[in-house]
Amino acid sequence: MISMTDEKPLLDVQNLKTYFYTEEGIVKAVDGVNFTVQQEEIFGLVGETGCGKSVTSLSIMSLVPPPGKIVDGKILYKGKDLLRLSKRQMTSIRGKELAMIFQDPMTSLDPVYTAGYQIAEPIIAHQGVSREEGWKEAVSMIGRVKISAPAETARAFPHQLSGGMRQRSMIAMMLSCHPSLLIADEPTTALDVTIQTQILALLKNLKEESGSSILLITHDLAVIAESCDRVGVMYNGKMVEIATVEDLFANPLHPYTKGLLGSIPTGTKGELMTIPGSVPKPIDPPAGCRFYPRCAQAMKTCENSAPAMVEIEKDHLVACHLYDI
Ligand code: SF4
């Protein structure tokens, strides 16, 4: 991977390939993806549903469900390849150093235990403190994620909390062990806009306070604009563009990114562009550039030759034959 900055990245994903072996054939959900997450950075992964961004995050956590399998690549975390760790080593890193929050906290919060119990458990397990100290720390974490009446909330069961409070409790649970990398997969999609803004602000504050890095997965460019430092755009299992957020919005290079941003007026009245066609099935992707069937700027070479990722300007990479040198 072309180096993004001079710093050593916290996470360096190299040529990651995660395939699903289905009865219909091999679904290449993630097919040769490269990107880095720097220390104390919020890196956004954006793309339409099914582009491979969630499978990328599950691959990092070693939580790819069957029939999925990581078939190639490296996931270097602090220089160590996570794909070479034993199950036991990975379980110990997960929860202690890598944590993940999902779109629906109900899938991660256990309905039969109070929020406080679930936040205290990992603290007790990982920090070796007493039950009483663990509970105190859990209440303090609930306060840190800006829930009023933290002691009361700690005694509540998940179904007694609102969607926003459940998501905050989930964040408290994940942050209680001070992970170096927090993966947040569509953390605000199920929430209304006001709560969404509050949760994103909370993630940003917590990143600044604790020095964690965040990998934020979303289909929503507004969420990227509001929270991220850098962003990677995925299309059909491939990374097509990586840039700082300012650069991506001011100067998108890839035709798909331009389409996503709706930045090309299609008529004199300045109507916004829509991308024609639909995303090809990852089971049968085009031979060359995967965006070829939908790209208004496609050339003959794009049909059979897949473009490589190249750095066009500092920290701005794109995979598209329009930028072949
Ligand atoms: Fe379009 Fe060709 Fe670029 Fe693909 S490589 S996005 S088809 S111009």
Side-chain angles (χ1 to χ4, degrees), residues 14 45 74 80-81 283 299:
Q14 298 179 357
L45 261 189
K74 286 183 180 170
K80 217 186 274 172
D81 189 359
I283 212 163
M299 303 165 286

Side-chain angles (χ1 to χ4, degrees), residues 25-325:
I26 302 170
V27 177
K28 297 179 176 177
V30 175
D31 201 13
V33 160
N34 295 291
F35 66 98
T36 59
V37 180
Q38 304 294 332
Q39 307 275 355
E40 297 183 36
E41 156 175 82
I42 304 186
F43 184 88
L45 261 189
V46 71
E48 294 161 284
T49 306
C51 69
K53 54 194 193 305
S54 289
V55 175
T56 300
S57 63
L58 291 172
S59 303
I60 296 166
M61 294 297 283
S62 240
L63 291 174
V64 177
K69 217 177 148 198
I70 298 174
V71 295
D72 202 2
K74 286 183 180 170
I75 300 175
L76 301 176
Y77 169 74
K78 294 184 177 170
K80 217 186 274 172
D81 189 359
L82 297 181
L83 300 182
R84 292 179 170 270
L85 298 185
S86 67
K87 258 192 177 167
R88 225 174 107 220
Q89 287 169 317
M90 192 59 207
T91 307
S92 147
I93 284 192
R94 208 171 36 223
K96 225 193 268 177
E97 299 206 33
L98 308 179
M100 186 157 179
I101 52 174
F102 297 90
Q103 178 180 335
D104 179 7
M106 280 312 262
T107 55
S108 310
L109 289 171
D110 194 323
V112 302
Y113 295 108
T114 63
Y117 178 88
Q118 295 183 67
I119 298 167
E121 270 310 284
I123 300 174
I124 296 163
H126 292 302
Q127 295 176 20
V129 297
S130 69
R131 192 148 287 281
E132 198 187 332
E133 281 168 313
W135 183 267
K136 262 195 205 154
E137 178 64 17
V139 173
S140 139
M141 282 306 299
I142 293 173
R144 272 187 73 199
V145 295
K146 310 266 187 295
I147 296 181
S148 48
E152 238 170 68
T153 304
R155 288 192 295 272
F157 289 90
H159 73 271
Q160 296 172 309
L161 303 172
S162 68
M165 281 165 93
R166 279 201 291 265
Q167 194 56 293
R168 283 168 205 260
S169 303
M170 187 68 214
I171 293 171
M173 189 165 126
M174 290 305 150
L175 290 174
S176 59
C177 291
H178 312 289
S180 303
L181 179 67
L182 178 69
I183 300 178
D185 191 353
E186 304 277 7
T188 58
T189 303
L191 305 171
D192 71 44
V193 178
T194 320
I195 309 287
Q196 173 171 312
T197 307
Q198 291 170 6
I199 298 279
L200 293 175
L202 174 67
L203 284 175
K204 266 172 104 170
N205 283 348
L206 291 170
K207 179 211 81 163
E208 267 144 40
E209 278 172 29
S210 63
S212 304
S213 301
I214 299 176
L215 176 61
L216 182 64
I217 316 283
T218 180
H219 66 280
D220 187 344
L221 279 161
V223 167
I224 295 284
E226 207 167 314
S227 350
C228 297
D229 301 301
R230 284 191 307 130
V231 56
V233 180
M234 283 189 75
Y235 181 78
N236 204 233
K238 296 273 190 193
M239 190 72 84
V240 297
E241 187 162 359
I242 298 177
T244 62
V245 167
E246 293 78 38
D247 230 15
L248 192 93
F249 281 83
N251 182 28
L253 298 177
H254 197 282
Y256 175 64
T257 313
K258 290 180 184 179
L260 262 192
L261 291 168
S263 61
I264 302 174
T266 54
T268 48
K269 290 177 195 150
E271 300 112 37
L272 294 181
M273 174 193 179
T274 52
I275 306 174
S278 52
V279 182
K281 287 187 185 142
I283 212 163
D284 186 22
C289 171
R290 295 203 178 176
F291 194 53
Y292 174 77
R294 303 174 77 188
C295 181
Q297 291 167 277
M299 303 165 286
K300 189 73 199 124
T301 182
C302 310
E303 190 176 357
N304 293 307
S305 146
M309 190 70 117
V310 288
E311 191 166 22
I312 300 295
E313 293 156 22
K314 181 158 169 40
D315 292 349
H316 198 154
L317 294 91
V318 66
C320 170
H321 288 306
L322 290 173
Y323 304 93
D324 284 351
I325 303 157

